[in-house]
Amino acid sequence: MKWQASAPSNIALIKYMGKSNREQNIASNPSLSYTLEHLRTFIEIEPLESAESRWEPLSMPDQPVLELSPKAIQRFLNHVEFLKKQFDYSGAFLIRSANNFPSDCGLASSASSYAALTKAMVRALCDLTQSALPSEWQQADWSRQASGSSCRSFFGPWCLWQGERIEPLELPFPKLIHQAIVVDHERKAVSSSEAHVRVATSLLFAGRTERVQQRLQSLLSALDQSNWAQAFEVCWHEFWDMHALFETSMPAFGYITARSMNVLEYVRQIWREHQRGPMITMDAGPNVHLLYRPQDKDLAHQIERSLKPEYYILSHYELD
Ligand code: DP6
């Protein structure tokens, strides 16, 4: 018996940063994401005659072999145990996983990994215990407890996560071109889980929830009215706000490098010249994510041509 599942990654435009409950990953503020259907994790699981579950890379033709640190494997297996408890099941599993994007390029894989793991495990546990399949919402809620951002990977193309609510949103722009400009693929000195804790020490953290609420409303209304320039502006403010929290934490830390700045400056220049361009955001890392409307494909090609000699770029143009 084998069960398989796959789940996409997602990129937040309104960021989840800071937790009101660390054990259950309750976010201090709402977040809004766009689902990256092309960046996926694949999981295969089977029962194992052993006292403990085990992880190993899944080999898939033409896909890179996934490498996980012992700490990451343990965190993954902890979630397996958590899900087993929900079904009162005690057997062990062999879990295999792969990403269809390089694991060393510094792109977040925890969202797609935990969403895929939750989906596969839930299917297996339902079959093995003859239980009814829980709702997508319930699965997203369990996944959130392993890694917050993974709950948004259950719904697309837009997903709003607010408190205990995780919901798909009907917004214009269901299909966007995506580019990840990989600035640096070194391991991060401060993980995003650690960043969530540290930002609470920043003096700027006090008004964060209110600022995010306001930005969420302006982004939703910009998208609703297809006001792309305003959407760009809000996303720009939002990722700088999050990175300002990092730099004003005690002790301060940060991810933006001179190479990230070159990309940001170049994209800003594109907006000035053409009065249009991509939405731009950065996670807890130095890499830059760009999202383009289909009609701005020419600019996506232009930006890719200009940055390619210096940066590794992961692009996705096919919108069908
Ligand atoms: C900066 O979901 O990785 O990417 O819940 O501790 O696993 P944990 O954190 P994680 O945080 C992601 C933070 C972010 C912003 C976002 O995706 O909203």
PDB file of all heavy atoms in Angstrom, residues 306-318:
ATOM      1  N   SER A 306      18.199  40.850 -18.569  1.00  0.00           N
ATOM      2  CA  SER A 306      19.172  41.763 -17.941  1.00  0.00           C
ATOM      3  C   SER A 306      19.809  41.164 -16.695  1.00  0.00           C
ATOM      4  O   SER A 306      20.962  41.416 -16.400  1.00  0.00           O
ATOM      5  CB  SER A 306      18.511  43.066 -17.531  1.00  0.00           C
ATOM      6  OG  SER A 306      17.861  43.610 -18.605  1.00  0.00           O
ATOM      7  N   LEU A 307      19.026  40.396 -15.914  1.00  0.00           N
ATOM      8  CA  LEU A 307      19.569  39.914 -14.630  1.00  0.00           C
ATOM      9  C   LEU A 307      20.254  38.557 -14.751  1.00  0.00           C
ATOM     10  O   LEU A 307      21.029  38.167 -13.879  1.00  0.00           O
ATOM     11  CB  LEU A 307      18.449  39.837 -13.587  1.00  0.00           C
ATOM     12  CG  LEU A 307      17.798  41.162 -13.182  1.00  0.00           C
ATOM     13  CD1 LEU A 307      16.668  40.920 -12.186  1.00  0.00           C
ATOM     14  CD2 LEU A 307      18.818  42.120 -12.550  1.00  0.00           C
ATOM     15  N   LYS A 308      19.935  37.827 -15.845  1.00  0.00           N
ATOM     16  CA  LYS A 308      20.402  36.444 -15.967  1.00  0.00           C
ATOM     17  C   LYS A 308      21.921  36.270 -15.832  1.00  0.00           C
ATOM     18  O   LYS A 308      22.360  35.332 -15.162  1.00  0.00           O
ATOM     19  CB  LYS A 308      19.907  35.831 -17.286  1.00  0.00           C
ATOM     20  CG  LYS A 308      19.971  34.327 -17.286  1.00  0.00           C
ATOM     21  CD  LYS A 308      18.632  33.719 -17.676  1.00  0.00           C
ATOM     22  CE  LYS A 308      18.507  32.326 -17.127  1.00  0.00           C
ATOM     23  NZ  LYS A 308      17.251  31.702 -17.492  1.00  0.00           N
ATOM     24  N   PRO A 309      22.714  37.149 -16.431  1.00  0.00           N
ATOM     25  CA  PRO A 309      24.154  36.890 -16.296  1.00  0.00           C
ATOM     26  C   PRO A 309      24.623  36.862 -14.833  1.00  0.00           C
ATOM     27  O   PRO A 309      25.569  36.178 -14.485  1.00  0.00           O
ATOM     28  CB  PRO A 309      24.795  38.061 -17.045  1.00  0.00           C
ATOM     29  CG  PRO A 309      23.728  38.636 -17.896  1.00  0.00           C
ATOM     30  CD  PRO A 309      22.424  38.313 -17.248  1.00  0.00           C
ATOM     31  N   GLU A 310      23.961  37.607 -13.980  1.00  0.00           N
ATOM     32  CA  GLU A 310      24.421  37.756 -12.588  1.00  0.00           C
ATOM     33  C   GLU A 310      23.675  36.871 -11.597  1.00  0.00           C
ATOM     34  O   GLU A 310      24.178  36.584 -10.513  1.00  0.00           O
ATOM     35  CB  GLU A 310      24.197  39.209 -12.148  1.00  0.00           C
ATOM     36  CG  GLU A 310      25.298  40.171 -12.592  1.00  0.00           C
ATOM     37  CD  GLU A 310      26.601  39.898 -11.850  1.00  0.00           C
ATOM     38  OE1 GLU A 310      26.541  39.620 -10.636  1.00  0.00           O
ATOM     39  OE2 GLU A 310      27.662  39.942 -12.508  1.00  0.00           O
ATOM     40  N   TYR A 311      22.437  36.488 -11.930  1.00  0.00           N
ATOM     41  CA  TYR A 311      21.594  35.799 -10.949  1.00  0.00           C
ATOM     42  C   TYR A 311      20.992  34.533 -11.542  1.00  0.00           C
ATOM     43  O   TYR A 311      20.688  34.494 -12.733  1.00  0.00           O
ATOM     44  CB  TYR A 311      20.425  36.705 -10.501  1.00  0.00           C
ATOM     45  CG  TYR A 311      20.868  37.987  -9.859  1.00  0.00           C
ATOM     46  CD1 TYR A 311      21.118  39.124 -10.633  1.00  0.00           C
ATOM     47  CD2 TYR A 311      21.041  38.073  -8.487  1.00  0.00           C
ATOM     48  CE1 TYR A 311      21.528  40.319 -10.051  1.00  0.00           C
ATOM     49  CE2 TYR A 311      21.440  39.248  -7.888  1.00  0.00           C
ATOM     50  CZ  TYR A 311      21.699  40.377  -8.670  1.00  0.00           C
ATOM     51  OH  TYR A 311      22.095  41.535  -8.096  1.00  0.00           O
ATOM     52  N   TYR A 312      20.775  33.531 -10.682  1.00  0.00           N
ATOM     53  CA  TYR A 312      20.034  32.356 -11.093  1.00  0.00           C
ATOM     54  C   TYR A 312      18.550  32.736 -11.009  1.00  0.00           C
ATOM     55  O   TYR A 312      18.104  33.297 -10.004  1.00  0.00           O
ATOM     56  CB  TYR A 312      20.361  31.179 -10.149  1.00  0.00           C
ATOM     57  CG  TYR A 312      19.505  29.964 -10.376  1.00  0.00           C
ATOM     58  CD1 TYR A 312      19.634  29.214 -11.548  1.00  0.00           C
ATOM     59  CD2 TYR A 312      18.558  29.571  -9.440  1.00  0.00           C
ATOM     60  CE1 TYR A 312      18.836  28.098 -11.762  1.00  0.00           C
ATOM     61  CE2 TYR A 312      17.760  28.456  -9.645  1.00  0.00           C
ATOM     62  CZ  TYR A 312      17.902  27.728 -10.814  1.00  0.00           C
ATOM     63  OH  TYR A 312      17.112  26.642 -11.034  1.00  0.00           O
ATOM     64  N   ILE A 313      17.812  32.477 -12.085  1.00  0.00           N
ATOM     65  CA  ILE A 313      16.398  32.891 -12.095  1.00  0.00           C
ATOM     66  C   ILE A 313      15.498  31.697 -12.383  1.00  0.00           C
ATOM     67  O   ILE A 313      15.730  30.951 -13.333  1.00  0.00           O
ATOM     68  CB  ILE A 313      16.150  33.986 -13.164  1.00  0.00           C
ATOM     69  CG1 ILE A 313      17.053  35.182 -12.885  1.00  0.00           C
ATOM     70  CG2 ILE A 313      14.678  34.416 -13.183  1.00  0.00           C
ATOM     71  CD1 ILE A 313      16.943  36.306 -13.880  1.00  0.00           C
ATOM     72  N   LEU A 314      14.509  31.533 -11.532  1.00  0.00           N
ATOM     73  CA  LEU A 314      13.528  30.468 -11.723  1.00  0.00           C
ATOM     74  C   LEU A 314      12.278  31.151 -12.269  1.00  0.00           C
ATOM     75  O   LEU A 314      11.647  31.939 -11.564  1.00  0.00           O
ATOM     76  CB  LEU A 314      13.233  29.857 -10.353  1.00  0.00           C
ATOM     77  CG  LEU A 314      12.965  28.389 -10.259  1.00  0.00           C
ATOM     78  CD1 LEU A 314      14.224  27.600 -10.599  1.00  0.00           C
ATOM     79  CD2 LEU A 314      12.529  28.044  -8.849  1.00  0.00           C
ATOM     80  N   SER A 315      11.945  30.887 -13.548  1.00  0.00           N
ATOM     81  CA  SER A 315      10.814  31.600 -14.166  1.00  0.00           C
ATOM     82  C   SER A 315       9.684  30.665 -14.495  1.00  0.00           C
ATOM     83  O   SER A 315       9.911  29.514 -14.828  1.00  0.00           O
ATOM     84  CB  SER A 315      11.238  32.226 -15.493  1.00  0.00           C
ATOM     85  OG  SER A 315      12.221  33.153 -15.287  1.00  0.00           O
ATOM     86  N   HIS A 316       8.491  31.188 -14.439  1.00  0.00           N
ATOM     87  CA  HIS A 316       7.339  30.402 -14.871  1.00  0.00           C
ATOM     88  C   HIS A 316       6.425  31.290 -15.704  1.00  0.00           C
ATOM     89  O   HIS A 316       5.771  32.192 -15.180  1.00  0.00           O
ATOM     90  CB  HIS A 316       6.589  29.848 -13.654  1.00  0.00           C
ATOM     91  CG  HIS A 316       5.462  28.966 -14.054  1.00  0.00           C
ATOM     92  ND1 HIS A 316       5.648  27.712 -14.552  1.00  0.00           N
ATOM     93  CD2 HIS A 316       4.125  29.197 -14.068  1.00  0.00           C
ATOM     94  CE1 HIS A 316       4.478  27.178 -14.840  1.00  0.00           C
ATOM     95  NE2 HIS A 316       3.546  28.062 -14.557  1.00  0.00           N
ATOM     96  N   TYR A 317       6.418  31.022 -17.031  1.00  0.00           N
ATOM     97  CA  TYR A 317       5.638  31.858 -17.946  1.00  0.00           C
ATOM     98  C   TYR A 317       4.343  31.202 -18.384  1.00  0.00           C
ATOM     99  O   TYR A 317       3.417  31.872 -18.789  1.00  0.00           O
ATOM    100  CB  TYR A 317       6.452  32.142 -19.224  1.00  0.00           C
ATOM    101  CG  TYR A 317       7.621  33.068 -19.001  1.00  0.00           C
ATOM    102  CD1 TYR A 317       8.890  32.574 -18.761  1.00  0.00           C
ATOM    103  CD2 TYR A 317       7.444  34.438 -19.065  1.00  0.00           C
ATOM    104  CE1 TYR A 317       9.966  33.422 -18.564  1.00  0.00           C
ATOM    105  CE2 TYR A 317       8.515  35.306 -18.871  1.00  0.00           C
ATOM    106  CZ  TYR A 317       9.777  34.779 -18.620  1.00  0.00           C
ATOM    107  OH  TYR A 317      10.824  35.632 -18.440  1.00  0.00           O
ATOM    108  N   GLU A 318       4.316  29.841 -18.375  1.00  0.00           N
ATOM    109  CA  GLU A 318       3.119  29.165 -18.926  1.00  0.00           C
ATOM    110  C   GLU A 318       1.934  29.366 -18.015  1.00  0.00           C
ATOM    111  O   GLU A 318       1.958  28.958 -16.857  1.00  0.00           O
ATOM    112  CB  GLU A 318       3.339  27.645 -19.078  1.00  0.00           C
ATOM    113  CG  GLU A 318       4.386  27.284 -20.100  1.00  0.00           C
ATOM    114  CD  GLU A 318       5.697  26.960 -19.431  1.00  0.00           C
ATOM    115  OE1 GLU A 318       5.705  26.031 -18.633  1.00  0.00           O
ATOM    116  OE2 GLU A 318       6.674  27.670 -19.703  1.00  0.00           O
TER     117      GLU A 318
END
